[in-house]
Amino acid sequence: MRIGLKKKKTTSGAASKLLAMAKKLSSKPTILFIFVSFMLFCAFLPVFAPLPSFSSHHSHRNTVNRKFEIANDRFWKDGEPFQIIGGDVHYFRVHPEYWEDRLLKAKALGLNTIQTYVPWNLHEPAPGKLVFEGFANIEAFLNLCHKHGLLVMIRPGPYICGEWDWGGFPGWFYSMNPTPKPRSSDPTYLQLVERWWGNLLPKFVPLLYENGGPIIMVQIENEYGSYGDDKEYLHHLITLARGHLGHDVILYTTDGGTRETLEKGTIRGDTIFSAVDFGTGEDPWPIFKLQKEFNAPGKSPPLSAEFYTGWLTHWGEKNAQTDADFTAAALEKILQKNGSAVLYMAHGGTNFGFYNGANTGVDEADYKPDLTSYDYDAPIRESGDVDNSKFNAIRRVIARYSSVPLPSIPSNNEKARYGPIHLQREAFVFDMFDFTNSTNVFKSETPMSMEYVGQLFGFVLYVTEYKAKRGGRILFIPKLHDRAQVFISCPSEESGARPTYIGTIERWLNNKVTLPDIKCHSKINLFILVENMGRVNYGSFIFDRKGILSSVYLDKEQVKGWKMFPIPLHNLNEMSTYNPITQVAYSAFSGISSFRKKLIYKNGNTSKEPAFYSGHFLIDKSSQVKDTFISFNNWGKGIVFVNDFNIGRYWPLRGPQCNLYVPAPLLKQGDNFLVILELESPDPELVVHTVDEPDFTCGSSGTSLHQL
């Protein structure tokens, strides 16, 4: 095997001659760029904005004689042939204090390149509000890659897929008029892209390889051939990227390894490099042969830009796994003939907050939301563990083709059990609202989407009233995204009219609910708590508004007169102005609570009414602050916050994920606070347990593992 490495090398003189013959000079762009400002509820001019001719890259001219390029169907780094052995590590799925840990483990796996997406919605959570701190500090992540000698392939989209909410597009698109049409030549959409990339891409200029940084390639769009074939759109993105980044950096597309996807998703010739992706069960070399047809002669080094080490898992499915030795052997088929590959994923991480994506099956109602865990059965596990058969098998293969000795393997991060955490109910969700005199309410004859009421993630409560009818009534919502719990109450009752749980409507079942006949001297209150479980991120049904998106019917009669109450639970890397989680956590241990004054119905621990629960656990010494998992066995469905950080959704009743990962940097010496929003069925004992390992055996689906 080592003999093959020698064949790759040439003298630098020979390499220079070869490259000189293969290169083509490109001219500088001269098209004028016009920035067009915009406001959230304003219409955009229905014309294409001219493309840029930025000169920002000129101030970072190559003064270090570094060059990464393509010639003779090979990658070349500083005049020497180079084989990309890379892996995806997404900075936004890893706590920033663990970025270095995961990169060192990726390097120990044998990787020389890191690939990462850039999710637009994380960096621009509201129009014009740009965030590049915390989990969104992409420049810090790229500098860490550079520090450890790892090259970077960056994927700024604007569409990323990635099992991330709406493929990275901001949910506030749906609040605009006109609504942008993503992944197209729609002028409104392109103006937004130009604005976003105008803020993002200049950050990459000093980090380009030619300027002394780690970035060797920049992807345009992502798997576009699986969605559309608008070549004008792709050319627009290419021109825009060249205007910011110059003509030396390699731009690339990635598409599935079929003729149809490549025909639709890339551009033939040397305008852009066409890469492919495929799984472990496919023969790579016929796909690489097809890839060559879409690149200019001599410009098609075989590259699988997504070589799948595992697969994603949806709620209700068996946990996906791929065999370690089979995966490693498939990788070797690529490397042994000087092919390049990027492992997807090298390290999956976690869908913290509300950012998990979703998929669909035969239609948009066949909705499949992703787990909080994005472990992906990757060689570096969700918690950073590397002591597993897949890591070792892949490392053994890579070691045979690496041009340098591999670093020693770091140890797994230590885990801790902090014992059981006892909780108490602090507030019913419905007690957060004054339904008769609330300022935080939207009123409309028909239901409004979540995006229109400014609640992009989480929950919105829809409230109306109706007349009782002997024998009960049938509730039907033709278009619901994604899951609704239905409650009724009689406001004239002396009991205070606690809402009574009636049933749950789920998008994928499109089921109806029967409202019972109750005696009430006034109209009956109807409460529908709707959860956004993640926007579809892939396929033809990615246009995925949330909330109640149609009229609501009782016995085929349209219900009118609605109030919409946003529920302000903060997402990853953001804090809301009004934060009930902080208030609940603080009040639970200070004895002061505006919520508690309302809680006169606290008898009994179990209730179908959604409520906040709080607890705490003590860590005596700083040396005891370690990774842990929280087990939600015996709980129903909900969201959990640790020290005011949204660690994600749990749903052990559906499975397969039982435990949520808690990175040590979220914890602290002393008291650590836990707040749970349980939607339907809390543990009767009101206790959760901290454990030291993941568990994917919950629900009827989780009893056995799914081998791909």
Side-chain angles (χ1 to χ4, degrees):
M1 292 298 184
R2 291 290 177 187
I3 298 174
L5 290 177
K6 292 180 181 178
K7 290 181 180 178
K8 296 182 189 178
K9 296 184 179 180
T10 65
T11 64
S12 42
S16 299
K17 290 179 182 178
L18 179 61
L19 290 172
M21 295 171 63
K23 293 175 194 171
K24 293 182 180 180
L25 298 176
S26 21
S27 60
K28 300 176 183 176
T30 58
I31 307 171
L32 178 64
F33 173 77
I34 300 172
F35 275 108
V36 180
S37 61
F38 72 98
M39 297 178 63
L40 180 58
F41 295 102
C42 296
F44 287 79
L45 296 174
V47 294
F48 281 92
L51 291 176
S53 178
F54 296 122
S55 58
S56 59
H57 58 276
H58 296 311
S59 60
H60 299 279
R61 287 289 189 185
N62 184 354
T63 59
V64 288
N65 197 29
R66 289 158 57 94
K67 188 169 283 292
F68 191 91
E69 51 198 333
I70 296 174
N72 198 33
D73 288 335
R74 302 288 295 272
F75 292 109
W76 297 80
K77 177 174 170 283
D78 301 332
E80 294 290 333
F82 185 80
Q83 186 175 30
I84 294 174
I85 306 177
D88 266 77
V89 177
H90 300 159
Y91 61 97
F92 45 92
R93 284 184 160 120
V94 180
H95 194 287
E97 291 188 34
Y98 274 161
W99 285 345
E100 191 160 33
D101 172 80
R102 304 309 195 253
L103 292 175
L104 288 171
K105 288 169 178 173
K107 192 165 185 176
L109 183 61
L111 306 187
N112 55 34
T113 304
I114 297 297
Q115 184 171 247
T116 185
Y117 288 126
V118 182
W120 186 352
N121 50 12
L122 177 68
H123 291 279
E124 194 173 5
K129 179 186 176 183
L130 296 171
V131 180
F132 289 100
E133 296 85 33
F135 278 77
N137 193 343
I138 185 171
E139 291 168 286
F141 177 79
L142 296 176
N143 280 316
L144 278 175
C145 293
H146 190 45
K147 171 185 174 182
H148 294 291
L150 291 162
L151 301 176
V152 171
M153 298 165 61
I154 200 153
R155 312 170 88 180
Y159 165 81
I160 66 169
C161 187
E163 290 72 63
W164 192 255
D165 185 83
W166 204 16
F169 290 128
W172 48 261
F173 277 16
Y174 287 126
S175 301
M176 297 174 56
N177 184 18
T179 301
K181 298 176 182 177
R183 311 189 76 184
S184 76
S185 293
D186 170 52
T188 301
Y189 166 64
L190 290 181
Q191 289 173 6
L192 291 171
V193 173
E194 289 163 13
R195 183 181 182 279
W196 161 231
W197 272 13
N199 286 294
L200 176 68
L201 297 189
K203 295 180 181 295
F204 298 157
V205 173
L207 296 167
L208 297 177
Y209 186 79
E210 66 189 80
N211 295 327
I215 299 175
I216 56 171
M217 297 172 66
V218 179
Q219 181 175 288
I220 299 297
E221 244 277 351
N222 185 56
E223 294 180 326
Y224 189 64
S226 299
Y227 175 80
D229 59 357
D230 185 344
K231 301 298 185 182
E232 184 179 4
Y233 166 54
L234 292 179
H235 276 292
H236 191 93
L237 295 180
I238 292 167
T239 306
L240 184 63
R242 288 286 180 218
H244 286 291
L245 302 175
H247 283 261
D248 292 327
V249 66
I250 297 170
L251 301 183
Y252 69 110
T253 55
T254 300
D255 285 286
T258 68
R259 181 172 298 279
E260 179 185 4
T261 53
L262 285 165
E263 287 281 8
K264 293 165 63 177
T266 192
I267 296 168
R268 288 179 179 268
D270 60 359
T271 301
I272 192 167
F273 170 62
S274 301
V276 291
D277 59 32
F278 48 81
T280 53
E282 299 184 69
D283 185 350
W285 290 99
I287 298 175
F288 289 143
K289 181 180 179 181
L290 175 64
Q291 176 196 8
K292 292 185 72 172
E293 294 184 28
F294 294 85
N295 290 306
K299 297 284 189 176
S300 193
L303 170 64
S304 175
E306 287 187 15
F307 176 76
Y308 300 110
T309 61
W311 201 246
L312 59 104
T313 305
H314 304 115
W315 291 109
E317 293 179 349
K318 298 174 183 178
N319 195 40
Q321 284 197 331
T322 55
D323 180 77
D325 292 332
F326 184 79
T327 302
L331 175 63
E332 185 157 26
K333 290 180 182 178
I334 298 173
L335 300 184
Q336 66 186 358
K337 294 184 179 180
N338 292 325
S340 292
V342 180
L343 309 181
Y344 193 99
M345 299 289 295
H347 170 55
T350 309
N351 293 317
F352 293 117
F354 296 116
Y355 274 119
N356 67 276
N359 289 291
T360 54
V362 294
D363 54 40
E364 65 174 321
D366 188 12
Y367 173 77
K368 303 173 182 181
D370 298 324
L371 302 182
T372 296
S373 172
Y374 197 63
D375 180 84
Y376 214 85
D377 196 32
I380 306 171
R381 308 314 301 263
E382 179 181 13
S383 60
D385 287 0
V386 292
D387 185 14
N388 63 75
S389 59
K390 184 168 286 185
F391 185 96
N392 293 329
I394 291 175
R395 175 183 158 92
R396 284 194 297 269
V397 167
I398 293 176
R400 293 197 282 268
Y401 301 95
S402 175
S403 59
V404 297
L406 302 191
S408 58
I409 302 175
S411 301
N412 290 345
N413 293 339
E414 292 187 47
K415 315 293 189 302
R417 293 174 178 243
Y418 298 109
I421 304 172
H422 296 275
L423 301 108
Q424 56 190 15
R425 188 167 64 212
E426 296 299 330
F428 288 115
V429 168
F430 296 123
D431 287 329
M432 296 171 57
F433 306 103
D434 182 347
F435 293 114
T436 59
N437 188 29
S438 176
T439 57
N440 187 32
V441 62
F442 294 79
K443 298 180 181 180
S444 174
E445 279 297 286
T446 56
M448 300 168 66
S449 73
M450 298 179 82
E451 292 86 359
Y452 272 123
V453 302
Q455 188 69 41
L456 301 183
F457 299 94
F459 304 84
V460 166
L461 179 63
Y462 292 79
V463 181
T464 190
E465 58 184 16
Y466 68 96
K467 292 181 180 180
K469 181 181 178 182
R470 181 173 297 180
R473 307 192 70 169
I474 303 297
L475 173 68
F476 177 52
I477 307 175
K479 193 166 185 179
L480 170 74
H481 290 189
D482 299 305
R483 190 174 188 268
Q485 293 164 265
V486 180
F487 302 81
I488 61 173
S489 72
C490 177
S492 61
E493 291 183 2
E494 295 181 0
S495 66
R498 297 305 303 174
T500 300
Y501 171 74
I502 301 301
T504 297
I505 302 172
E506 294 176 322
R507 173 177 175 177
W508 48 94
L509 297 177
N510 197 27
N511 56 308
K512 301 176 182 179
V513 169
T514 300
L515 305 181
D517 180 11
I518 63 172
K519 294 181 179 180
C520 187
H521 297 295
S522 62
K523 287 187 175 180
I524 299 171
N525 287 333
L526 174 63
F527 305 91
I528 304 177
L529 180 63
V530 178
E531 179 182 5
N532 167 0
M533 292 193 62
R535 293 179 181 85
V536 173
N537 59 263
Y538 179 80
S540 56
F541 302 112
I542 63 171
F543 300 99
D544 193 17
R545 294 181 190 268
K546 294 301 182 181
I548 296 177
L549 306 178
S550 65
S551 295
V552 175
Y553 297 90
L554 287 177
D555 298 334
K556 299 183 180 180
E557 180 183 339
Q558 186 177 351
V559 181
K560 296 185 177 181
W562 290 87
K563 295 179 180 179
M564 278 68 59
F565 296 85
I567 299 179
L569 303 178
H570 57 274
N571 203 357
L572 173 66
N573 213 43
E574 70 179 19
M575 298 293 291
S576 57
T577 304
Y578 169 74
N579 188 349
I581 298 304
T582 302
Q583 192 168 347
V584 168
Y586 169 73
S587 65
F589 305 103
S590 66
I592 302 171
S593 175
S594 59
F595 287 140
R596 286 191 176 190
K597 295 176 184 177
K598 300 181 181 180
L599 297 185
I600 57 176
Y601 304 98
K602 292 186 67 173
N603 55 316
N605 285 334
T606 59
S607 171
K608 277 285 190 179
E609 186 176 343
F612 289 103
Y613 298 81
S614 66
H616 71 125
F617 58 99
L618 183 68
I619 301 179
D620 291 325
K621 301 176 182 178
S622 60
S623 60
Q624 297 173 335
V625 177
K626 298 173 182 176
D627 287 0
T628 192
F629 295 84
I630 299 177
S631 171
F632 285 92
N633 278 300
N634 299 322
W635 288 76
K637 186 181 193 302
I639 312 295
V640 60
F641 297 78
V642 175
N643 291 332
D644 203 32
F645 181 89
N646 187 338
I647 65 170
R649 312 170 197 262
Y650 63 89
W651 199 5
L653 288 175
R654 185 63 56 95
Q657 184 174 1
C658 316
N659 304 346
L660 293 188
Y661 171 57
V662 184
L666 297 179
L667 304 177
K668 60 184 179 179
Q669 181 182 359
D671 256 337
N672 292 265
F673 298 97
L674 183 73
V675 175
I676 293 173
L677 170 57
E678 169 59 50
L679 295 172
E680 50 191 45
S681 55
D683 181 306
E685 302 299 321
L686 295 187
V687 62
V688 296
H689 295 270
T690 54
V691 297
D692 57 7
E693 60 185 1
D695 185 357
F696 293 94
T697 62
C698 279
S700 58
S701 64
T703 53
S704 61
L705 298 178
H706 177 45
Q707 295 279 345
L708 296 180

